[in-house]
Amino acid sequence: MFKRILAAAVPALMLVTAAACAEQSVGEANPGASAVAYPSKTLQIMAPAGAGGGWDLTARSMQKALQEANLLNGQSAEVRNVTGAAGTIGLAELVTSHAKDAHQLMVTGLVMVGGVVTNKAQVDLTKTTPIATLTAEAEVIVVRNDSKYTSLKQLVDDVKANPTSVKWGGGSAGGTDQILVGLLAKAAGADTKTVAKQYVAYSGGGETKAALLSGDVSVAVSGVSEFADLVKAGTVRALAVSGASKQDAGNGTPAPTIKDAGYAVELMNWRGIVAAPGISDAERKAVIAMIDKLHTSAQWKQTLTDKKWDDFYKSGDEAKAFFESETTRIKTVLTEIGLG
Amino acid sequence: MTAPTPGAAKAAPGPLIAGVVLLGAGVYLLVHALSAGDLTLGGPGLAPVIVTGLWVAVAACYVVTAFLERIAEAEDKPRWLTPFLLLGGLIAYSLILKFTVVGYVLATVVFFVGSARLLSVRPWREVIVRDVSVAIGLSLAIYFVFTRLLGIALPAGVLPL
Amino acid sequence: MSAFTDLLNGFATVLSPQNLLYAAIGVTIGTLIGVLPGIGPALTIALLLPVALKLDDPTGTLIMFAGIYYGAMYGGSTTSILLNTPGESASVATSIEGYQMARRGRARAALATAAIGSFVAGTISTILLTFAAGPMASLAVTFRASDYFALAVLAMVTVTAMVGTSMVRGLMSLTFGLFLGLIGIDSLTGQARFTFGMPELLDGVDIVVVIVGLFAIGETLYIASRLRELPAKVAPLEPPAHGGFAWMSRQDWSRSWRPWLRGTAIGFPFGALPSGGAEIPTFLSYTYEKRRSKHSKEFGEGAIEGVAGPEAANNASFSGVLVPLLTLGIPTSATAAVLLAAFGYFDLSPGPQLFEKSPTLVWALIASLFVGNLMLLALNLPMIRIWVKVLQVPRPVLYTGILVFATLGVYAVSGNIIDVIIAFALGVIAMFMRHFNFPLAPVILGVILGPMMETQFRRALLLSDNDLSIFVKRPLTLTLLVLAVLAFALPHVPKLFRRKRLAFGEED
């Protein structure tokens, strides 16, 4: 018991000093938000997936950085996992059971936007209170080093001529990887539906790698980090990355983007944070202010470096607009490839 | 073991009832699988039909054997009340954990004492001290190991933990 | 013999006091979480990652994580044997004979053969990992979808012996498992199957939920239905055997060592296959021992071979898992995936370059496997004395404890009340299955092999543009399928001849 008291007392003492400064700076930067002292109780951060996955790591990293950067107004933060159906179980819980509770946050991401569509979930991301996007990872399109394709254009030309000749491998059906294949086929003017049918879903990066190496699939799509080591070893060749700018896919030289190859596709596998619906405007501003401060904190910057996450920050109205545009875009492409 | 009731092995209706339930469930699932459409080779609808079809066939065999051979029912006489009371306790326990503010430790202590009582054949006066102390010790240990060491959140609830 | 010198260097690194301490912490944590149902090594390592990052000692951390992985397997066998409550799918095969041994007072010998078998398998397979990782890995990634399908068919045909004494009841259990495996989103098309409109079922029924429900909760409910007939003690405990060594009699030793070696031979290659897994080799080993044993009549009543083989296979598959992980960066189990993430945090990418870039770390990790195995043996043999005390705990307290841990394992991990309810429902089903003598192990077999067969079959078809000849065109696929046909037919061939002879009126 003594240890408990001690454990609670030390941060509290530290925060007595920190809180005063923090409140001042809020007052200066954002006069509307200072009306709400936030958080005023334990902050709940939901990771809508199992422990150890990307969303869970994001949630736990946020919890840690928020605590270490003293952004919790003397309160603590708790991470809880609600698993299931690409995060849509957690999403439904946030919207139905925790509405109007400003202390309920949830990690989200592109995968959830897709999951809402493929699982025909009742509740979508626009029902929540958007707060911010935090990180993102580009996708990479790779072939084996003995493949005849040396550029994305050659590959896409073949796909356009004969859609069934190229078999794609990647993560789960309707996930980021298949979405990218659909967007690419659409942008290139290929038969989107047939191309998407040539996509073979694997249960994770490991299985996808094995399928590419064994020759089951001719092209693999995955996050850049997943294939970095094989690209570096020269076992596989990166044809393109899906971000806005060229990016090193592992071998030290920047790989071209899909746009460089002439197809107007840009797709980032982003992660972000939303709050429960129905919270007041002042509360919303307070949450955004807290995440804004988290984003600029040294602790969060360190987290990004440690985890090799790319910064992808949009907050407030910008995040709201982004969530909406992604929801529309993903819904369209998934419907087109027959997964809507 | 208690002595088997005379004639129990012959007339046992248990396996027959179980077989009919299985067969009913199988038929229901088969109909459900057939209604999903797309039974093409390589499509998602084929495996459910194969599996539920197999279910119906095997369940039918079981019903027939149960009827013809009168599969001997287990000799001991089970009491079904205790496991279902226990099940009720379990469901109540997990619902309380998820939807109320009672908290992990308190809910676990209450469940533990109740469940130990159900599973015990000794008078409660002899075991209540043991049960309550084990319950408190175990639930506190789990609570602190999970929330403090592993970082898995368990509801703290009404106790000032 | 450069691998040999590298390994010696690895030992030099590991045998520092600090790294030994990491190994010791790892195996201890691993053993403890292995004992708890539902809380596996993958989850533990994931949760310990942030702590490990702070230590900033990649070698030490990875040594500790490998220890957790190994330790969890040692610990996992303990509850399967003592209480018939396996915590993960790879311990189910062990529980079949192990629990029967415990019920007959032979818990010590069962635990000992599991621990020593794990040690033997772990050591041999680590030697294989040391010297054959490269070739093994390049062989493993030549397996294609059609090969995996054929392999799954072969495994399915081979392990039908698992269905037990009654064909009908065994098949019913298997079918139930196949059905459970179908629930959820179809992995290839994203179409929902048997979800009955419940979004919580979209991800399917997790294997941990199935195991906790069928075994831990099912066992408890079954016990509850028969309280009054049960003896006061959970299980008797015979005095340790005389004339033996380490809790096992001379006969136990002579019946155990071959299954250990055979289990290793089955487990290691399966672990190395990117879609192999640890469950199938344990079931294959069990089946093989049951068929081959001179004591096959004892199977079902506590045959020690049925514990020795599967446990060895389980442990050997772990070193197998490390083959593609270290050489190609391909994780083949949930735990391996988390280990891969751990590598990533330390700026290490497993794969072709790891051996060149960080030889110290890799060889220290491999050396730590030898050390960890030895530590686990040293930890677990004396622990047998303590573990068997579990059987002396009063039944109400023991089984209530199992329920508390089972609920915790399912609920705390998923936060999903539907998972908990499913586990309870499976517990009720398991209680009735036990009552009507339906075997439980085939259910797990169905849950694991069914989806593998279906997915790989459909992948192969998709990749060949619906051309069924894919299954006879590849020599490997064809060989495996022919073997499956033989495995199916061979046991019946003698019967055919016998019948024919009888038909001609000859006495048999």
Side-chain angles (χ1 to χ4, degrees):
Chain A
M1 257 308 135
F2 178 68
K3 260 191 192 161
R4 284 263 324 112
I5 295 164
L6 198 69
V10 171
L13 274 172
M14 280 158 55
L15 273 157
V16 171
T17 42
C21 319
E23 211 146 298
Q24 238 174 357
S25 65
V26 173
E28 280 157 16
N30 200 341
S34 64
V36 186
Y38 182 86
S40 56
K41 59 178 185 181
T42 303
L43 187 66
Q44 299 281 344
I45 306 173
M46 187 210 295
W55 286 339
D56 178 63
L57 287 172
T58 309
R60 286 176 199 276
S61 307
M62 278 183 64
Q63 174 199 28
K64 201 166 143 252
L66 282 169
Q67 256 152 12
E68 286 172 4
N70 285 331
L71 297 173
L72 291 172
N73 193 27
Q75 301 294 329
S76 63
E78 234 173 55
V79 171
R80 74 202 162 88
N81 299 87
V82 179
T83 61
T88 52
I89 305 285
L91 176 64
E93 188 184 310
L94 182 79
V95 171
T96 53
S97 315
H98 301 297
K100 297 187 180 150
D101 184 347
H103 290 81
Q104 293 281 349
L105 305 182
M106 180 184 73
V107 175
T108 181
L110 181 73
V111 176
M112 190 186 286
V113 177
V116 168
V117 183
T118 52
N119 297 336
K120 301 174 181 65
Q122 304 292 317
V123 177
D124 71 14
L125 206 54
T126 55
K127 300 277 192 304
T128 64
T129 307
I131 301 297
T133 60
L134 290 166
T135 64
E137 186 184 32
E139 295 269 295
V140 65
I141 300 173
V142 294
V143 293
R144 282 210 299 188
N145 61 356
D146 57 1
S147 162
K148 61 178 171 174
Y149 303 115
T150 52
S151 74
L152 185 63
K153 190 171 181 314
Q154 292 171 343
L155 173 74
V156 174
D157 284 347
D158 260 20
V159 170
K160 275 159 85 173
N162 184 3
T164 59
S165 68
V166 175
K167 305 293 176 195
W168 308 75
S172 60
T176 316
D177 306 336
Q178 195 176 11
I179 290 173
L180 181 64
V181 174
L183 287 172
L184 179 62
K186 194 177 158 190
D191 178 354
T192 313
K193 206 160 184 175
T194 312
V195 172
K197 281 218 172 88
Q198 309 309 311
Y199 178 92
V200 184
Y202 290 92
S203 67
E207 256 200 334
T208 312
K209 278 186 201 173
L212 182 67
L213 294 181
S214 76
D216 259 347
V217 296
S218 28
V219 191
V221 183
S222 192
V224 169
S225 62
E226 195 72 64
F227 273 98
D229 56 317
L230 289 181
V231 171
K232 195 172 192 176
T235 322
V236 304
R237 187 160 48 227
L239 295 182
V241 290
S242 69
S245 55
K246 287 185 174 53
Q247 187 179 349
D248 177 15
N251 58 356
T253 51
T257 63
I258 297 177
K259 277 187 173 159
D260 291 339
Y263 312 102
V265 175
E266 195 186 310
L267 184 72
M268 295 298 279
N269 188 2
W270 51 268
R271 293 185 200 136
I273 186 102
V274 294
I279 62 175
S280 74
D281 200 43
E283 284 169 331
R284 174 173 167 263
K285 283 194 173 121
V287 182
I288 293 171
M290 178 184 77
I291 301 295
D292 275 339
K293 271 184 268 168
L294 169 76
H295 175 246
T296 51
S297 72
Q299 286 84 354
W300 184 250
K301 293 207 165 91
Q302 188 58 42
T303 306
L304 292 178
T305 321
D306 285 347
K307 306 254 158 73
K308 285 188 271 307
W309 288 340
D310 289 335
D311 190 27
F312 188 73
Y313 197 69
K314 302 171 195 292
S315 76
D317 293 338
E318 203 190 346
K320 186 169 190 278
F322 181 71
F323 286 157
E324 276 162 12
S325 73
E326 286 289 89
T327 303
T328 318
R329 172 166 86 132
I330 302 305
K331 195 175 166 96
T332 313
V333 66
L334 281 174
T335 311
E336 249 169 73
I337 63 182
L339 286 170
Chain B
M1 295 288 147
T2 51
T5 322
K10 261 190 189 167
L16 199 57
I17 296 172
V20 170
V21 170
L22 273 174
L23 191 60
V27 169
Y28 171 76
L29 292 173
L30 178 60
V31 171
H32 185 89
L34 283 170
S35 66
D38 188 22
L39 302 182
T40 50
L41 194 67
L46 191 61
V49 173
I50 294 176
V51 170
T52 50
L54 185 68
W55 178 319
V56 171
V58 178
C61 285
Y62 182 74
V63 171
V64 171
T65 44
F67 190 71
L68 292 179
E69 296 174 11
R70 308 239 163 91
I71 298 173
E73 203 168 352
E75 284 179 1
D76 41 3
K77 277 247 152 217
R79 288 157 194 263
W80 299 117
L81 183 63
T82 319
F84 280 101
L85 283 177
L86 201 55
L87 183 72
L90 272 171
I91 293 173
Y93 171 51
S94 52
L95 292 179
I96 284 170
L97 278 185
K98 176 82 181 177
F99 296 109
T100 71
V101 293
V102 172
Y104 186 78
V105 175
L106 201 57
T108 305
V109 169
V110 173
F111 170 74
F112 196 103
V113 175
S115 160
R117 183 86 293 270
L118 273 175
L119 288 170
S120 182
V121 286
R122 290 169 60 188
W124 68 271
R125 276 170 218 282
E126 289 175 28
V127 292
I128 190 73
V129 174
R130 175 196 75 190
D131 288 354
V132 170
S133 41
V134 172
I136 293 173
L138 186 73
S139 53
L140 282 175
I142 291 174
Y143 183 81
F144 284 112
V145 167
F146 270 68
T147 54
R148 299 296 187 273
L149 294 182
L150 288 172
I152 295 180
L154 293 173
V158 289
L159 294 180
L161 289 167
Chain C
M1 290 306 273
S2 77
F4 190 68
T5 34
D6 286 334
L7 184 63
L8 284 183
N9 288 333
F11 272 110
T13 317
V14 172
L15 293 177
S16 76
Q18 194 186 352
N19 285 336
L20 281 178
L21 180 67
Y22 277 124
I25 294 173
V27 297
T28 314
I29 296 179
T31 308
L32 290 179
I33 54 137
V35 172
L36 300 179
I39 299 153
L43 179 69
T44 313
I45 294 176
L47 294 170
L48 285 176
L49 262 180
V51 186
L53 268 177
K54 276 193 204 145
L55 298 173
D56 202 28
D57 176 359
T59 314
T61 308
L62 290 173
I63 287 174
M64 181 169 81
F65 286 172
I68 291 178
Y69 200 161
Y70 253 137
M73 277 185 296
Y74 275 76
S77 61
T78 308
T79 44
S80 328
I81 290 171
L82 293 178
L83 303 169
N84 197 19
T85 56
E88 24 115 35
S89 41
S91 319
V92 172
T94 310
S95 71
I96 305 171
E97 295 305 314
Y99 180 57
Q100 293 303 327
M101 284 182 76
R103 279 185 60 186
R104 285 164 177 74
R106 311 235 308 123
R108 288 194 190 91
L111 289 172
T113 197
I116 301 168
S118 297
F119 170 74
V120 170
T123 306
I124 295 176
S125 57
T126 309
I127 293 173
L128 291 174
L129 170 69
T130 313
F131 297 104
M136 279 288 294
S138 22
L139 195 68
V141 290
T142 60
F143 266 66
R144 290 196 177 183
S146 59
D147 305 328
Y148 279 118
F149 168 70
L151 190 65
V153 173
L154 176 59
M156 182 69 105
V157 170
T158 319
V159 296
T160 42
M162 299 278 304
V163 300
T165 47
S166 154
M167 193 69 175
V168 175
R169 275 171 281 170
L171 272 179
M172 195 65 238
S173 296
L174 183 70
T175 312
F176 180 58
L178 291 172
F179 167 73
L180 287 180
L182 284 174
I183 295 175
I185 289 177
D186 165 43
S187 63
L188 289 174
T189 60
Q191 189 175 320
R193 303 192 291 193
F194 295 123
T195 54
F196 306 102
M198 288 165 71
E200 287 84 357
L201 285 177
L202 286 172
D203 280 351
V205 187
D206 192 280
I207 186 78
V208 173
V209 173
V210 176
I211 286 175
V212 168
L214 283 184
F215 291 92
I217 295 170
E219 177 77 17
T220 311
L221 294 180
Y222 181 75
I223 295 275
S225 72
R226 280 161 171 75
L227 276 182
R228 273 153 233 279
E229 289 94 41
L230 291 166
K233 282 272 158 61
V234 174
L237 200 58
E238 278 179 8
H242 287 287
F245 170 65
W247 315 114
M248 286 161 67
S249 71
R250 205 166 287 145
Q251 202 207 359
D252 291 335
W253 279 94
S254 77
R255 285 175 63 179
S256 285
W257 71 270
R258 283 190 202 86
W260 291 338
L261 296 184
R262 284 193 287 258
T264 311
I266 299 172
F268 183 71
F270 257 92
L273 283 178
S275 307
E279 299 89 3
I280 299 173
T282 61
F283 285 121
L284 281 176
S285 166
Y286 176 86
T287 314
Y288 186 87
E289 298 308 333
K290 188 175 175 180
R291 287 219 178 131
R292 277 292 304 270
S293 173
K294 276 180 243 157
H295 310 270
S296 56
K297 274 191 197 127
E298 275 180 41
F299 272 77
E301 286 163 14
I304 195 163
E305 294 92 338
V307 182
E311 263 314 287
N314 184 9
N315 255 47
S317 75
F318 169 60
S319 312
V321 164
L322 286 180
V323 169
L325 180 70
L326 293 179
T327 56
L328 297 165
I330 295 178
T332 60
S333 70
T335 317
V338 183
L339 278 179
L340 186 69
F343 275 99
Y345 286 169
F346 294 118
D347 232 338
L348 300 160
S349 45
Q353 254 123 61
L354 188 67
F355 283 82
E356 288 156 36
K357 249 182 69 187
S358 328
T360 327
L361 179 124
V362 178
W363 291 106
L365 182 66
I366 292 175
S368 82
L369 298 179
F370 287 104
V371 176
N373 255 303
L374 197 63
M375 278 184 175
L376 278 164
L377 187 68
L379 180 75
N380 276 279
L381 276 183
M383 285 280 274
I384 289 175
R385 200 192 302 268
I386 299 165
W387 286 130
V388 293
K389 292 274 193 299
V390 167
L391 298 176
Q392 316 291 312
V393 173
R395 182 176 289 115
V397 174
L398 181 62
Y399 281 95
T400 298
I402 291 177
L403 288 181
V404 167
F405 277 113
T407 311
L408 179 73
V410 178
Y411 173 74
V413 173
S414 72
N416 191 332
I417 198 77
I418 302 290
D419 274 2
V420 184
I421 302 291
I422 292 172
F424 295 162
L426 286 170
V428 175
I429 291 172
M431 174 180 75
F432 283 116
M433 284 175 72
R434 301 251 336 240
H435 177 68
F436 292 116
N437 276 318
F438 286 89
L440 290 176
V443 180
I444 304 301
L445 211 60
V447 176
I448 287 164
L449 278 177
M452 178 170 168
M453 274 171 76
E454 193 211 350
T455 310
Q456 301 290 8
F457 177 80
R458 287 173 51 203
R459 270 186 197 151
L461 270 189
L462 184 57
L463 291 166
S464 67
D465 294 317
N466 279 325
D467 180 3
L468 275 171
S469 70
I470 183 87
F471 296 106
V472 289
K473 269 190 199 146
R474 268 179 70 81
L476 183 56
T477 312
L478 189 61
T479 314
L480 289 168
L481 284 176
V482 168
L483 281 176
V485 172
L486 289 179
F488 186 70
L490 273 183
H492 302 289
V493 170
K495 267 190 244 161
L496 284 178
F497 282 111
R498 214 174 296 148
R499 245 177 243 156
K500 214 176 258 174
R501 284 214 304 268
L502 283 173
F504 285 114
E506 286 175 30
E507 289 294 331
D508 197 43

